[in-house]
């Protein structure tokens, strides 16, 4: 894209691309030819194949593939213009005649204010423009820019305004103008513009140490493509076309004498054409977005092909705006809304490029750019993540007793008033467990009955008792208290305090002492770190890891396992029925073949998934971290607690929600392929001190209270 200072060019698709021309009409013509009794038979089959291939041959012709630029909008010092394919101005609003521009928040329409009234130009999405780019460019040119709350159709005609005033109906018009301005949206755009100005005038910031050196390969981010993969789509489309061509050729060899044979050939031809066209559409939509981020440059590819690669040097980039934007529709080439896109601005606030980012995780992309020294501007601070817990379980007496608080009294729990008198008692035999945990940076308590069911949960601030007081008082009273975060804190503090005393002996001394010990005598079974001749050394065993530490083992839900069993059986049954229909005439008929292929398909589906299910993966959550282990004990991966920044569902755009593990900076470390019970996983994470949900870069989580 040509970049000129103070010029904004709208997003437009490429002029030419290899595509089939009039595929639908030629497909109907191929079906009609298949139904006709054309002789000789080889001519009949050749006509069907030639007509089906004509759209692809026309699309491959040089004249059809000639690149003709699509019309696009341009905002510059000359005004607002729509440029046609030949470079001529189709629609023009001269700068001298523009009094101002406005964007309506209801429908996203760009409106031009001039001396004779107002003109709605069109929607920003269809024009290929973003609100931020239009706002920044217009203000740099000197055009007044406004953001109005409502729709463009709500703007009153100035002539109608004069008629209302003349008729004495001015009181019906809302005060302050026909439409109020959206101050929040305009302030957000002003804040982003201020951030861009600061990034353009400040010196470049260094990258985070340890990312990569200049000239290195950098970090690669790939959008997770929805199944099936592009290779499978291409294989299935090719198989559909080849199968249709083979069946038509087979019918031609057999003579195609009857109408039934020609009807079958027409159906096979239509299925082959539809399969190839459908595979092409899926291939275009499944094109992955790939980013390669280095300290030197950004390399982004949004579609297959060398021409679609965008490479930008970091020296020319002032800031990258990551947020909702636009993308080109892969089929039509028209601009469409995207949940995530990147706008790259230069040091003169010119738009260098629009980079596709759909399918990527915005949190991960923003942190990756920031770690490599790029300034990242986001639409605004996100609202804080609040846990989905309420106070519905609080008894009504809590609100009826002013100044009440939770106390440990008489071997159980009680609710005392301001004078200290206990007005509500919970006996010890009813309390099966007390769990202290942190939710949203605040201390909470959960109470369980003797059966292990939770019957009460509330923040300690609402109960007017501190975490330390409740824990120590309950333990003195003999109540079962579980405070995993406090215990983990004490364990970490103990190991950090005594680890300097564990001084390993020289290797020569250890080897001599080991050789002096008899193989079966006393000390032969000591661990290697305990065999030392230093009398002042303290042998400290290694802390348990994510696999060996006590924790909770989470399995896939029964519903998902049963659904996978059913899908496996249905797939095998479908293959059995298709095979019986295809090979039935050679094997004694469809009924005879299906009588043994259907039971075999059922057994194959059940046995195949049973072999996979008997060694399925399970997620282990402990205070030492996370691990995925199989039922036979094989460890697929494990992560220590210090490497985990959050666990939760990654709901990125255009992809299925997946359970992922983030690091503290927001990057996705691992993906859990099987779906465990989310409620059980959340309880396990809170019980063992593993943060639930993605880390919040705007509001970092504070340490657990009172630790």
């Amino acid at each position: 894209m040509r970049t000129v200072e103070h010029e904004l060019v709208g997003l437009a698709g490429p002029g030419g691309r290899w595509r089939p021309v009039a595929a639908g009409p030629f497909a109907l013509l191929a079906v009609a030819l298949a139904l006709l009794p054309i002789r000789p038979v080889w001519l009949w089959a050749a006509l069907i194949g030639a007509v089906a291939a004509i759209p692809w041959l026309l699309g491959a012709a040089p004249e059809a593939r000639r690149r003709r630029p699509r019309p696009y909008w341009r905002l510059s010092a000359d005004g607002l213009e729509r440029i046609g394919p030949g470079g001529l101005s189709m629609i023009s609003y001269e700068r001298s005649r523009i009094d101002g521009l406005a964007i309506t928040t209801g429908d996203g329409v760009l409106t031009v204010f001039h001396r004779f009234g107002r003109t709605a130009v069109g929607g920003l999405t269809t024009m290929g423009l973003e609100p931020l780019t239009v706002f920044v460019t217009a203000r740099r040119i000197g055009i007044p820019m406004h953001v109005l709350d409502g729709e463009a159709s709500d703007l009153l005609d100035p002539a109608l305004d004069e008629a209302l005033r003349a008729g004495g109906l001015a009181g019906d018009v809302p005060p302050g103008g026909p439409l109020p301005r959206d101050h929040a949206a305009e302030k957000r755009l002003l804040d982003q513009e201020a951030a861009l100005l600061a990034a353009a005038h400040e010196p470049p910031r260094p990258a985070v140490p340890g990312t990569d050196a200049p000239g290195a390969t950098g970090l690669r981010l790939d959008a997770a493509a929805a199944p099936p993969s592009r290779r499978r789509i291409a294989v299935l489309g090719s198989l559909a076309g080849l199968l249709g061509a083979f069946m038509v050729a087979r019918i031609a060899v057999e003579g195609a004498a009857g109408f039934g044979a020609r009807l079958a050939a027409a159906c096979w031809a239509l299925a082959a054409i539809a399969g190839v066209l459908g595979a092409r559409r899926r291939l275009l939509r499944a094109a992955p977005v790939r980013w390669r981020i280095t300290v030197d440059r950004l390399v982004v590819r949004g579609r297959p092909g060398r021409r679609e690669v965008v490479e930008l040097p970091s020296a020319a980039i002032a800031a990258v705006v990551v947020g909702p934007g636009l993308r080109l529709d892969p089929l039509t080439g028209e601009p469409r809304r995207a949940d995530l896109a990147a706008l790259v601005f230069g040091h003169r606030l010119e738009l260098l490029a629009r980079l596709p980012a759909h399918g990527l995780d915005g949190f991960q992309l923003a942190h990756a750019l920031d770690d490599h020294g790029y300034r990242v501007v986001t639409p605004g601070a996100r609202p804080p993540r609040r846990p989905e817990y309420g106070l519905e379980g609080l008894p009504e007496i809590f609100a009826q007793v002013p100044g009440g608080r939770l106390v440990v009294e008489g071997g159980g729990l009680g609710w005392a008033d301001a004078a200290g008198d206990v007005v509500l008692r919970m006996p010890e035999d009813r309390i099966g467990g007390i769990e202290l945990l942190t939710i949203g940076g605040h201390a909470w308590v959960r109470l369980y009955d003797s059966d292990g069911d939770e019957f009460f949960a509330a923040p300690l601030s609402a109960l007017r008792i501190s975490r330390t007081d409740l824990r120590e008082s309950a333990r003195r009273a003999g109540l079962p208290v579980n405070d995993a975060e406090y215990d983990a804190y004490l364990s970490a503090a103990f190991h950090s305090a005594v680890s300097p005393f564990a001084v390993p002996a020289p290797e020569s001394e250890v080897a001599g002492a080991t050789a002096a010990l008899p193989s079966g005598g006393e000390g032969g079974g000591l661990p290697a770190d305990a065999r030392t001749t230093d009398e002042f050394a303290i042998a400290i065993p290694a802390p348990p890891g994510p696999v060996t530490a006590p924790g909770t083992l989470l399995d896939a839900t029964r519903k998902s396992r049963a659904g996978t069993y059913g899908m496996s059986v249905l797939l095998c049954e479908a293959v059995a029925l298709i095979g019986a229909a295809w090979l039935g005439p050679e094997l004694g008929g469809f009924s005879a073949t299906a009588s043994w292929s259907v039971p075999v398909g059922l057994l194959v589906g059940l046995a195949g998934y049973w072999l996979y299910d008997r060694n399925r993966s399970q997620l282990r959550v402990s205070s030492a971290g996370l691990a995925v282990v199989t039922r036979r004990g094989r460890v697929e991966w494990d992560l220590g607690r210090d490497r985990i920044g959050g666990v939760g569902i990654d709901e990125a755009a255009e992809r299925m929600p997946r359970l992922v593990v983030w690091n503290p900076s927001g990057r996705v470390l691992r993906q859990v392929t099987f779906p465990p019970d989310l409620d059980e996983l959340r309880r396990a994470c809170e019980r063992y001190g593993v943060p639930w949900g993605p880390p919040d870069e705007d509001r970092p989580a504070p340490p657990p209270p009172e630790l």
Side-chain angles (χ1 to χ4, degrees):
M1 183 181 66
R2 183 173 60 95
T3 58
V4 181
E5 186 178 3
H6 307 334
E7 180 185 73
L8 174 63
V9 177
L11 181 64
R17 189 179 61 193
W18 180 54
R19 65 182 69 189
V21 178
F26 279 102
L28 295 179
L29 180 58
V31 172
L33 289 175
L35 296 176
L36 297 179
I38 300 176
R39 291 292 182 271
V41 180
W42 64 266
L43 179 61
W44 172 76
L47 287 176
I48 295 176
V51 171
I54 284 177
W56 302 94
L57 297 177
L58 293 178
E63 181 66 22
R65 299 185 63 182
R66 190 176 63 182
R67 302 185 67 85
R68 298 176 181 177
R70 294 173 178 265
Y72 62 91
W73 286 90
R74 182 176 66 187
L75 178 61
S76 62
D78 298 332
L80 183 63
E81 301 173 290
R82 178 176 171 83
I83 308 300
L88 300 178
S89 178
M90 303 171 58
I91 302 176
S92 177
Y93 300 92
E94 298 180 5
R95 171 65 186 89
S96 59
R97 300 181 183 273
I98 298 177
D99 295 336
L101 297 176
I103 301 175
T104 51
T105 60
D107 49 7
V109 172
L110 180 65
T111 303
V112 176
F113 291 83
H114 49 86
R115 58 181 297 186
F116 298 109
R118 310 176 181 92
T119 301
V121 180
L124 289 179
T125 301
T126 57
M127 297 173 64
L129 300 174
E130 300 88 358
L132 177 61
T133 57
V134 174
F135 189 85
V136 173
T137 306
R139 287 170 59 86
R140 297 289 289 174
I141 295 173
I143 301 177
M145 194 70 200
H146 308 284
V147 180
L148 304 180
D149 187 12
E151 298 182 357
S153 59
D154 297 333
L155 292 172
L156 296 179
D157 188 19
L160 182 58
D161 293 346
E162 296 296 335
L164 289 176
R165 296 189 185 94
L169 301 177
D172 296 337
V173 180
L179 199 64
R181 296 178 181 179
D182 191 347
H183 297 284
E186 189 166 355
K187 182 180 181 301
R188 184 167 60 251
L189 293 176
L190 288 172
D191 293 342
Q192 295 182 46
E193 183 188 25
L196 290 175
L197 285 171
H201 292 86
E202 292 179 0
R205 55 184 299 271
V208 175
T211 51
D212 56 3
T217 58
L219 176 65
R220 179 174 174 177
L221 299 178
D222 294 345
S229 63
R230 289 176 53 85
R231 183 177 300 177
R232 293 183 181 180
I233 294 173
V235 170
L236 292 177
S238 303
L239 288 179
L242 294 176
L243 180 60
F246 173 77
M247 294 304 298
V248 171
R250 179 181 177 181
I251 294 174
V253 170
E254 293 177 355
F259 179 77
R262 295 195 300 272
L263 179 61
C267 294
W268 279 110
L270 182 62
I273 296 174
V276 173
L277 293 177
R280 176 185 173 273
R281 293 174 64 91
R282 287 295 302 271
L283 283 175
L284 292 176
R285 293 189 179 277
V289 176
R290 294 179 178 177
W291 281 60
R292 186 163 61 86
I293 305 173
T294 64
V295 177
D296 294 336
R297 63 190 65 252
L298 293 178
V299 181
V300 180
R301 189 177 74 174
R303 293 169 58 186
R306 296 182 179 179
R307 297 180 179 180
E308 303 298 335
V309 177
V310 179
E311 186 172 349
L312 297 173
S314 59
I317 300 175
V320 182
V321 180
V322 179
L326 300 177
R327 58 169 296 197
L328 289 176
D329 189 275
L331 297 178
T332 63
E334 298 294 332
R336 295 289 183 268
R337 293 182 181 273
D339 294 334
L340 188 65
L343 301 176
V344 182
F345 286 86
H347 294 277
R348 296 183 178 181
L349 294 191
E350 73 276 14
L351 181 64
L352 296 180
R354 296 178 174 91
L355 301 180
H358 52 277
L360 297 177
D361 183 79
F363 193 85
Q364 183 180 7
L365 177 60
H367 275 274
L369 291 171
D370 183 75
D371 291 344
H372 287 78
Y374 297 92
R375 296 187 181 273
V376 180
V377 179
T378 56
R382 298 177 298 145
R385 297 185 178 91
R386 301 186 181 277
E388 297 180 357
Y389 295 98
L391 302 180
E392 293 81 4
L394 290 176
E396 297 180 358
I397 193 173
F398 287 12
Q400 298 175 1
V401 179
R405 59 188 179 88
L406 184 69
V407 295
V408 180
E409 189 267 341
L413 299 178
W415 185 255
D417 56 12
D421 299 332
V422 179
V423 296
L424 177 66
R425 286 183 173 85
M426 188 178 302
E428 181 181 1
D429 55 357
R430 187 185 174 188
I431 302 175
I434 302 175
E435 182 182 2
L436 299 175
L437 66 158
T438 303
I439 300 176
H442 301 280
W444 276 62
V445 61
R446 281 203 185 109
L447 300 182
Y448 299 88
D449 56 16
S450 56
D451 297 332
D453 299 329
E454 177 188 337
F455 67 91
F456 178 76
L460 294 181
S461 58
L463 305 179
R464 299 182 180 90
I465 187 173
S466 66
R467 184 173 189 164
T468 304
D469 293 343
L470 178 57
R471 179 179 61 250
E472 301 302 330
S473 301
R475 287 179 175 175
R476 284 195 300 267
L479 298 176
V481 181
N482 179 21
D483 195 345
E485 295 176 69
Y486 179 74
D487 297 337
Y489 172 78
L490 290 182
S491 177
F494 171 75
H495 281 285
S496 62
V498 301
S499 57
F501 298 100
V503 181
E507 296 183 0
S508 59
E509 297 181 6
V510 175
T514 305
L517 288 175
S519 59
E522 183 180 358
L526 292 177
D529 56 354
R531 300 169 187 170
T532 174
T533 58
D534 192 350
E535 59 180 354
F536 298 102
I538 302 176
I540 301 178
V547 181
T548 58
T552 301
L553 199 61
L554 301 177
D555 202 347
T557 59
R558 293 183 178 179
K559 183 178 179 180
S560 65
R561 292 176 58 196
T564 310
Y565 260 111
M567 289 299 297
S568 177
V569 171
L570 288 178
L571 180 61
C572 292
E573 291 297 323
V575 173
L577 291 176
I578 293 176
W582 190 5
L583 303 176
E586 287 79 7
L587 298 177
F590 173 78
S591 300
T593 306
S595 62
W596 61 266
S597 64
V598 171
V600 169
L602 177 63
L603 294 177
V604 169
L606 292 175
Y609 189 76
W610 177 79
L611 291 175
Y612 168 79
D613 187 67
R614 63 195 295 262
N615 193 28
R616 62 182 181 272
S617 301
Q618 295 175 322
L619 180 65
R620 183 177 181 82
V621 183
S622 64
S623 58
L626 298 176
V628 171
V629 297
T630 62
R631 297 193 64 186
R632 293 185 177 180
R634 184 174 63 88
V635 180
E636 295 185 355
W637 56 263
D638 58 345
L639 292 174
R641 176 62 183 84
D642 55 343
R643 297 183 58 192
I644 300 174
V647 182
I649 296 298
D650 180 16
E651 298 179 351
E654 298 185 6
R655 59 183 294 186
M656 297 178 61
R658 297 183 179 180
L659 184 64
V660 299
V661 182
W662 289 273
N663 68 351
S665 65
R667 295 178 184 172
V668 176
L669 296 178
R670 292 289 188 272
Q671 294 185 359
V672 182
T673 56
F674 59 93
D677 186 82
L678 295 183
D679 292 335
E680 295 293 335
L681 176 60
R682 186 193 65 193
R683 298 288 178 86
C685 290
E686 294 171 352
R687 183 179 301 115
Y688 294 103
V690 179
W692 170 259
D696 197 335
E697 83 279 18
D698 297 326
R699 296 172 178 82
E706 303 182 43
L707 295 187

